[in-house]
Amino acid sequence: MPTNTNDGSLNRLNDVLQKSLSGTIVLPQNPTADAVAAATALYLSLNKAGKSVSLACSSKVGFNLTGVDKIQSQLTTSGDNLVISFPYAEGSIDKVDYNIKGEHFNLIIAPRQGYPKLDPKQVKYTYTGGSLDFIIIIDSPTLNSLGPIYTENEKQFQGKEIVNIDRHLTNSFYGTINYVNKTSSSISELIFKLVQNLGIELDRDIATNLYAGISSATNNFSSYSVTADTFDTVARLLRLGAIKKTIQKPNLGGTRGFPSQPMTRPFNPPPLNSFGGGFNEVPDTITPIEDVEKEPRGAQGSTPQDWLKPKIFKGGSGGLV
């Protein structure tokens, strides 16, 4: 019967992970930075605890977090069978052979004439033939949120211990264990509590991923979902050596938004003398100062003789005298 309470979920999940040896952590299509940070931190923690765990996501993930390079595009199971994978074009291989020299087994892959030789940097190694004890699903309200990893491998999900770790309001509690907190600030905060409950010691890489995930999900700790518990978690991560860094999002080609510099037209002010009465307006004639000083007083209108006499107001007849 599915477990829905968080305390019960943590205890049940602790029991399952303690008894299990192998499993996988699956991300939804187009995961958020918080989801990737949480998944990689959990991956690093379980590997540190000696578990055989893989990471899977239907979408390509390119965040600058430790462990992102371990994310595969398909569901893989651990086992004893070594699988060697590399890019292949139809008709590009002429033959595959092997030989044994001393204590070394050599696999020989000969390209067909006209095709490039195999690049060792593109060769990947995985194991298969084993079985999954558990599947941990991160930040997915439904199984269909996983995309092709689920829709093309539904049988591998049947009969497995499905651990549903999420905070979406629309989560349908599809797991056999549901560690769902719809008021949590981030998935990374939930993973921190889980790792602490498992008794796994967090190193700098794990702490840094979780710190970056919480920071990204809360818009640098400014969202309304941030609580005192969130700040307490962040403080613990910093004490564990978390490095403050911003998660760089994958470059999807091109940017949108405002241009870096505003598009402005140069402003050319009109000349001052273009307006009537401007400062640069030149009078028609200029009188030299010498001629001004020679002008007789009163030449342009004389001052009245009674100008300096006191004026008396008479109330009877009115007026000034």
Side-chain angles (χ1 to χ4, degrees), residues 26-32 36 55-63 68 70-74 144-150 250 252:
V26 188
L27 284 159
Q29 278 189 301
N30 304 314
T32 64
V36 176
L55 273 170
C57 182
S58 297
S59 306
K60 187 175 181 180
V61 180
F63 296 105
V68 165
K70 304 299 182 182
I71 299 177
Q72 303 178 36
S73 59
Q74 57 187 358
N144 287 326
S145 303
L146 303 178
I149 278 189
Y150 172 70
L252 301 179

Side-chain angles (χ1 to χ4, degrees), residues 198-276:
L198 292 172
I200 301 173
E201 184 179 354
L202 279 74
D203 57 27
R204 174 171 290 186
D205 288 336
I206 298 171
T208 297
N209 280 16
L210 292 177
Y211 176 93
I214 298 173
S215 175
S216 175
T218 60
N219 193 22
N220 200 22
F221 316 109
S222 64
S223 70
Y224 288 107
S225 61
V226 173
T227 64
D229 290 338
T230 305
F231 286 113
D232 181 61
T233 298
V234 170
R236 292 186 183 186
L237 292 172
L238 290 173
R239 293 190 189 101
L240 290 167
I243 299 174
K244 297 179 182 179
K245 73 174 184 178
T246 303
I247 299 179
Q248 296 178 1
K249 296 182 179 180
N251 185 6
L252 301 179
T255 57
R256 293 181 295 175
F258 295 102
S260 57
Q261 294 183 352
M263 301 296 291
T264 58
R265 295 181 179 179
F267 175 70
N268 297 319
L272 291 175
N273 60 0
S274 64
F275 300 94

Side-chain angles (χ1 to χ4, degrees), residues 76-154:
T76 59
T77 59
S78 61
D80 298 327
N81 302 331
L82 176 64
V83 178
I84 302 173
S85 306
F86 52 85
Y88 170 74
E90 185 68 30
S92 61
I93 295 178
D94 184 34
K95 64 178 181 178
V96 178
D97 199 357
Y98 76 93
N99 61 47
I100 299 175
K101 290 185 178 181
E103 297 181 353
H104 289 84
F105 179 93
N106 301 309
L107 183 66
I108 303 170
I109 302 172
R112 182 162 294 175
Q113 187 175 3
Y115 286 89
K117 62 182 179 181
L118 181 62
D119 184 358
K121 295 180 180 179
Q122 295 181 318
V123 179
K124 295 182 179 180
Y125 307 93
T126 57
Y127 285 93
T128 188
S131 60
L132 293 173
D133 297 324
F134 59 86
I135 299 176
I136 299 176
I137 301 173
I138 302 290
D139 199 35
S140 300
T142 66
L143 286 171
N144 287 326
S145 303
L146 303 178
I149 278 189
Y150 172 70
T151 58
E152 297 176 4
N153 302 279
E154 289 189 37

